[in-house]
Amino acid sequence: MQPKGLAFEASDETSLRDIAIRPLWRSIGRGLLMRCPKCGEGKLFAGFLRSVDSCAVCGEVMQHHRADDLPPYLTVFIVGHLVVALFMGVEEVTSLPLWAHLAIWVPATLLLSLALLRPLKGGTIGLQWALRMHGFGGSEPSHDH
């Protein structure tokens, strides 16, 4: 049994273009660059975190993605590891007062989080598109066993 949303059955109406292979890493990379995972040309975002309904270049529909929880989780994971590692490294070689640490690490955490959140959301949309998840398959999955 295949996971729901990853498989679909080609019908007479489905063209070869619709069932073409979607390279995973290329799709994620295009998403990380905040571009359409299908064509790599169109913008993926209409606002800071609001994605476009469809690609202005190739017309691929994007409104049904489910990139809600993974991007913030990845952002916290990456930024937390970077900031803690850097903090511990700085603390090992210097003895800064607490106010100096706060002046360095609070802005660094905020800036890194803002810089990573949007590309990570784009990468998540690219991942979902490549794996044909959440409506990116072009047709409903077959439930015949």
Side-chain angles (χ1 to χ4, degrees):
M1 181 175 169
Q2 294 183 352
K4 184 178 179 184
L6 292 179
F8 67 97
E9 194 172 295
S11 67
D12 294 335
E13 302 166 11
T14 306
S15 69
L16 290 176
R17 184 179 59 81
D18 292 334
I19 59 173
I21 295 172
R22 297 179 179 185
L24 179 66
W25 294 109
R26 184 187 73 188
S27 302
I28 293 171
R30 287 176 173 176
L32 288 170
L33 294 173
M34 296 169 282
R35 296 288 175 196
C36 171
K38 182 177 181 180
C39 69
E41 298 293 324
K43 292 182 179 182
L44 195 53
F45 293 99
F48 182 68
L49 289 177
R50 190 172 74 78
S51 63
V52 295
D53 290 337
S54 63
C55 177
V57 176
C58 70
E60 180 73 16
V61 178
M62 299 289 167
Q63 68 186 14
H64 44 65
H65 74 80
R66 299 295 301 159
D68 301 326
D69 296 335
L70 184 60
Y73 174 80
L74 292 174
T75 301
V76 169
F77 183 80
I78 293 167
V79 172
H81 279 81
L82 283 173
V83 169
V84 169
L86 291 170
F87 166 78
M88 291 174 68
V90 168
E91 187 62 22
E92 190 67 31
V93 296
T94 66
S95 59
L96 293 176
L98 181 59
W99 67 265
H101 278 295
L102 289 172
I104 294 169
W105 303 118
V106 170
T109 301
L110 291 172
L111 291 174
L112 280 170
S113 296
L114 290 173
L116 287 176
L117 189 56
R118 193 173 187 212
L120 288 172
K121 182 170 182 174
T124 302
I125 294 171
L127 171 74
Q128 292 176 359
W129 181 84
L131 296 179
R132 301 176 191 276
M133 297 171 67
H134 307 297
F136 283 121
S139 65
E140 289 300 314
S142 174
H143 295 293
D144 299 332
H145 300 299

